[in-house]
Amino acid sequence: MTELTNRQYFLASRPVGEPTPDNVACRDVPLAPPGEGEVTIRNLYISLDPAIRGWMSDAPNYIEPITLGDAVRSSVIGRVVASNSPDFAVGDVAMVMGGWEQYTTVPAGMLNKLDENAGIPLSLFLGVLGPTGLTAYFGLLEVGQPKAGETVLVSAAAGAVGSIVGQIAKMQGCRVVGMAGSEDKCRWLTEDLGFDAAINYRTCGDYRAAISEACPDGVDVYFDNVGGEILDAALACLNRYARVAVCGWISTYNESELPPLANLWQLVARSVTIRGFVILDYLDRFPEGIAQLAEWVMAGKLQFREDVVDGLDNVLPTFLRLFDGSNSGKLVIRIPE
Amino acid sequence: MTELTNRQYFLASRPVGEPTPDNVACRDVPLAPPGEGEVTIRNLYISLDPAIRGWMSDAPNYIEPITLGDAVRSSVIGRVVASNSPDFAVGDVAMVMGGWEQYTTVPAGMLNKLDENAGIPLSLFLGVLGPTGLTAYFGLLEVGQPKAGETVLVSAAAGAVGSIVGQIAKMQGCRVVGMAGSEDKCRWLTEDLGFDAAINYRTCGDYRAAISEACPDGVDVYFDNVGGEILDAALACLNRYARVAVCGWISTYNESELPPLANLWQLVARSVTIRGFVILDYLDRFPEGIAQLAEWVMAGKLQFREDVVDGLDNVLPTFLRLFDGSNSGKLVIRIPE
């Protein structure tokens, strides 16, 4: 390997509220050869997800916060350019929890090898066949426990996770209502994905009234991606024994002051279960989840949108689009070979 | 039946914040004879519980709000003084959801007959062998799902429900930590009831630090009676997959403005389940619960305190003691025959 530099976007300071360009800085460092048992990949795809905002904070979380000075953490897919492990050869493609950088070096055991000749576009393993799809699959089916005939409400429904949640809920025989931030997104939900109704939360006015109208029989399962005022409104519309599956609260990641949940009391009034989860809770069932998601994708039963942006240097502004709702579909940075 | 009057304490206005004497008024009304299929009981015991505050508000709840002008709703035990049903004779003793009044008239099917010669003081059917004990039993075992070796934290631990929760948790082999509002109460928990540790929340200072110190291995089950700041502190001390059983939030019943729960995010960070419940969820299992509680009481394994106050005219000031923590044990009004 000739002498190479590794461009990295690293956490320079922890965000208070919404991340700003000041929180992430760029540097070029010499690329060291992989150590004993390690492998270096040249990144091809970097996944941008709301969860990254959580890891930027120095607060207890399901995995360690990103250390200041480290490359911002992301799931990545890359091609092996140097290997010090018998398990990987130069040219192999693999997925790993890496960073916002050109090259990622990790112990071989952390890499998941992917078959680039299987006819599946690689980026799908970061989305519908990866963490995104698995979040929807286990969150809806295991945490939400939807039954045929029940009403499922999904926030951020046109997002990468929400759009899959809604389609799986339809396959379970549920009435599905999505909330999204534009008329275009709402139309996509009802006309293309088969949602029974969609609420444009930017124009609907009173959230609670809008949810009640779209869910005349009440809400049995609420898949919550956003928290805050929409969660509070949804709490007021729940049926007895309703389940709230919480995979993230993008509306409050950036709030230092959280809004009170005036309707959290409905928990007791309606015997509601609110359960937080991360896909790591279902690690031993990933093969089952991926196989089922792949079957649905191949059969055309599961549609998905990717929002692919070229160039590592676009990583920060692209990440920030998650917080203004301007992305449509799973956000991925591509670094062409 | 000679002409009798019925003294009633009725809901005159809905409380905003803590109930005041203005919210409840007294009247004497002629007592009508029971209608077809109805029975009139002369009340002997009236149960005073935090849940009554919830029913005073015109907000969605698990049962209908108390109608303005109606006697305040309570579980009561009384002796039949007039019966228009073949199922009840004058002199029988029965329990029912009645009111703050001398006489309660209801359809016979709503009454649960009690055997006053069974050697069990009647008032226990409002407490440890009634709604109070069943709330502790099902809330801890079904919602909390404690396992031997786990740590169970209980707020309002010297209260009617909390003191039973802690003792049942000890019987499950758990480490049990209680929070209570005085040194006397804390001593009672550790010296008489077998709690492993007790926190005086009035003097402990920072709640989160106090809970962390008393629960060095973290909290696996939090039985929450109070909500508010103590709930928020407990959320920060939970272990992965912890369960929070919520049966009521006395600290916030009286708050028009709720404090935000800054640590609710721990729900996702630790894959926590928060579940609200009412004992009506377990209606079909009441006989099992009462039998088990009675067995423990008879065997001396379950201690309980009653705080019995004589006289219907003391009902409102006695009820208000629930909110300043000055009661010790299950609050009951007795109306001597």
Side-chain angles (χ1 to χ4, degrees):
Chain A
M1 197 159 63
T2 56
E3 197 166 294
L4 290 169
T5 59
N6 186 18
R7 173 157 290 193
Q8 297 183 311
Y9 284 85
F10 64 97
L11 191 64
S13 60
R14 298 197 183 281
V16 178
E18 191 154 331
T20 68
D22 288 345
N23 299 130
V24 176
C26 182
R27 68 182 167 216
D28 292 316
V29 293
L31 182 64
E36 180 64 32
E38 289 187 336
V39 174
T40 298
I41 59 173
R42 192 278 195 192
N43 290 322
L44 303 172
Y45 295 97
I46 294 175
S47 180
L48 296 181
D49 305 283
I52 296 169
R53 171 61 186 88
W55 307 334
M56 287 178 167
S57 289
D58 188 20
N61 210 326
Y62 56 95
I63 54 175
E64 290 300 301
I66 300 168
T67 302
L68 278 178
D70 279 6
V72 176
R73 186 191 293 142
S74 271
S75 294
V76 301
I77 291 172
R79 187 180 301 282
V80 175
V81 292
S83 174
N84 225 332
S85 158
D87 298 329
F88 286 88
V90 170
D92 284 350
V93 172
M95 180 167 160
V96 69
M97 188 64 89
W100 292 2
E101 55 190 356
Q102 284 177 289
Y103 297 93
T104 293
T105 300
V106 291
M110 293 174 62
L111 290 164
N112 289 297
K113 205 176 288 189
L114 300 178
D115 178 1
E116 64 181 322
N117 300 314
I120 298 174
L122 287 176
S123 61
L124 297 200
F125 292 104
L126 296 176
V128 65
L129 302 183
T132 305
L134 292 168
T135 299
Y137 181 84
F138 291 111
L140 177 69
L141 297 179
E142 295 301 316
V143 182
Q145 301 268 345
K147 295 171 205 57
E150 288 190 329
T151 297
V152 175
L153 177 69
V154 188
S155 59
V161 172
S163 59
I164 299 174
V165 168
Q167 293 176 83
I168 299 177
K170 283 305 298 176
M171 288 192 252
Q172 308 302 309
C174 298
R175 174 178 168 81
V176 178
V177 176
M179 301 185 76
S182 75
E183 292 303 313
D184 271 356
K185 289 180 177 178
C186 286
R187 253 194 311 276
W188 182 56
L189 296 178
T190 54
E191 293 180 8
D192 293 341
L193 302 192
F195 280 54
D196 296 284
I199 297 167
N200 181 340
Y201 69 83
R202 292 189 198 272
T203 59
C204 69
D206 183 68
Y207 294 150
R208 181 173 170 176
I211 295 170
S212 289
E213 192 186 328
C215 305
D217 297 327
V219 174
D220 299 293
V221 177
Y222 173 46
F223 192 98
D224 183 27
N225 287 294
V226 299
E229 287 176 39
I230 292 180
L231 169 59
D232 202 34
L235 287 170
C237 302
L238 298 178
N239 288 330
R240 193 172 179 203
Y241 300 129
R243 288 81 66 198
V244 179
V246 180
C247 78
W249 282 335
I250 199 165
S251 79
T252 61
Y253 286 158
N254 294 328
E255 300 285 336
S256 305
E257 292 290 316
L258 296 168
L261 295 169
N263 298 316
L264 196 59
W265 165 249
Q266 289 300 307
L267 198 64
V268 177
R270 302 276 181 242
S271 297
V272 166
T273 300
I274 304 184
R275 201 164 136 208
F277 72 99
V278 292
I279 53 169
L280 295 176
D281 301 341
Y282 301 96
L283 194 57
D284 58 337
R285 291 179 56 195
F286 278 13
E288 166 208 324
I290 294 170
Q292 178 62 78
L293 290 161
E295 185 189 314
W296 284 332
V297 168
M298 300 304 175
K301 291 183 177 171
L302 205 50
Q303 298 182 55
F304 56 92
R305 272 186 183 166
E306 288 187 303
D307 192 335
V308 179
V309 175
D310 275 340
L312 177 64
D313 292 331
N314 290 318
V315 67
L316 181 61
T318 304
F319 174 65
L320 295 177
R321 285 171 53 204
L322 284 169
F323 301 94
D324 65 16
S326 68
N327 63 305
S328 58
K330 170 66 190 145
L331 264 187
V332 177
I333 290 286
R334 179 170 56 189
I335 315 176
E337 292 189 271
Chain B
M1 196 160 62
T2 57
E3 195 168 297
L4 290 170
T5 58
N6 186 17
R7 173 157 292 193
Q8 296 183 312
Y9 285 85
F10 64 97
L11 190 64
S13 59
R14 299 197 183 279
V16 178
E18 191 152 329
T20 67
D22 288 346
N23 298 129
V24 175
C26 182
R27 69 182 167 217
D28 293 315
V29 295
L31 182 65
E36 181 64 31
E38 288 187 336
V39 174
T40 298
I41 60 172
R42 191 278 194 192
N43 290 323
L44 303 171
Y45 295 97
I46 294 175
S47 181
L48 296 181
D49 306 282
I52 297 168
R53 170 62 186 87
W55 307 335
M56 288 178 167
S57 289
D58 188 21
N61 210 325
Y62 56 94
I63 55 176
E64 289 300 301
I66 301 167
T67 302
L68 279 178
D70 278 6
V72 176
R73 186 191 292 144
S74 270
S75 294
V76 301
I77 291 171
R79 189 181 298 284
V80 175
V81 291
S83 175
N84 226 332
S85 157
D87 298 329
F88 286 87
V90 170
D92 285 349
V93 173
M95 180 168 159
V96 70
M97 191 63 90
W100 293 2
E101 56 190 356
Q102 283 176 291
Y103 298 93
T104 293
T105 300
V106 290
M110 292 175 63
L111 290 165
N112 289 298
K113 204 176 288 191
L114 300 178
D115 178 2
E116 64 181 322
N117 301 314
I120 297 174
L122 288 176
S123 61
L124 297 201
F125 292 104
L126 296 176
V128 65
L129 302 182
T132 305
L134 292 169
T135 299
Y137 181 86
F138 291 112
L140 177 69
L141 297 179
E142 294 302 317
V143 182
Q145 301 269 346
K147 295 172 205 54
E150 288 190 329
T151 297
V152 175
L153 177 69
V154 188
S155 59
V161 172
S163 58
I164 299 173
V165 167
Q167 293 176 83
I168 299 177
K170 282 305 299 178
M171 287 191 253
Q172 307 303 307
C174 298
R175 174 178 169 82
V176 178
V177 176
M179 300 184 77
S182 75
E183 292 303 313
D184 271 358
K185 288 179 177 178
C186 286
R187 253 194 311 276
W188 182 57
L189 296 179
T190 53
E191 293 179 8
D192 294 341
L193 301 192
F195 280 54
D196 296 283
I199 297 167
N200 181 342
Y201 69 83
R202 292 189 198 274
T203 59
C204 69
D206 183 67
Y207 295 150
R208 181 173 170 178
I211 296 169
S212 289
E213 191 187 328
C215 305
D217 297 326
V219 174
D220 300 292
V221 177
Y222 173 46
F223 192 99
D224 183 26
N225 288 294
V226 299
E229 288 176 39
I230 292 180
L231 169 59
D232 202 33
L235 286 171
C237 302
L238 297 178
N239 288 331
R240 193 172 180 203
Y241 299 129
R243 290 79 67 196
V244 179
V246 180
C247 79
W249 282 333
I250 199 165
S251 78
T252 60
Y253 285 159
N254 294 328
E255 300 286 336
S256 305
E257 292 290 317
L258 296 169
L261 295 171
N263 298 316
L264 195 58
W265 165 250
Q266 289 300 305
L267 196 65
V268 177
R270 302 277 181 241
S271 296
V272 166
T273 301
I274 303 184
R275 198 162 138 208
F277 72 99
V278 294
I279 55 170
L280 296 175
D281 300 340
Y282 301 96
L283 195 57
D284 58 337
R285 292 179 55 193
F286 278 14
E288 166 208 325
I290 293 169
Q292 178 62 77
L293 290 161
E295 186 190 312
W296 284 331
V297 168
M298 299 306 177
K301 291 182 178 171
L302 205 51
Q303 298 183 54
F304 56 92
R305 273 186 181 166
E306 288 188 302
D307 192 336
V308 178
V309 175
D310 275 340
L312 177 63
D313 292 332
N314 290 318
V315 68
L316 181 60
T318 304
F319 174 65
L320 295 178
R321 285 171 51 206
L322 283 169
F323 300 95
D324 65 16
S326 69
N327 62 306
S328 57
K330 169 68 191 144
L331 264 187
V332 177
I333 291 286
R334 179 169 57 189
I335 316 175
E337 293 189 269

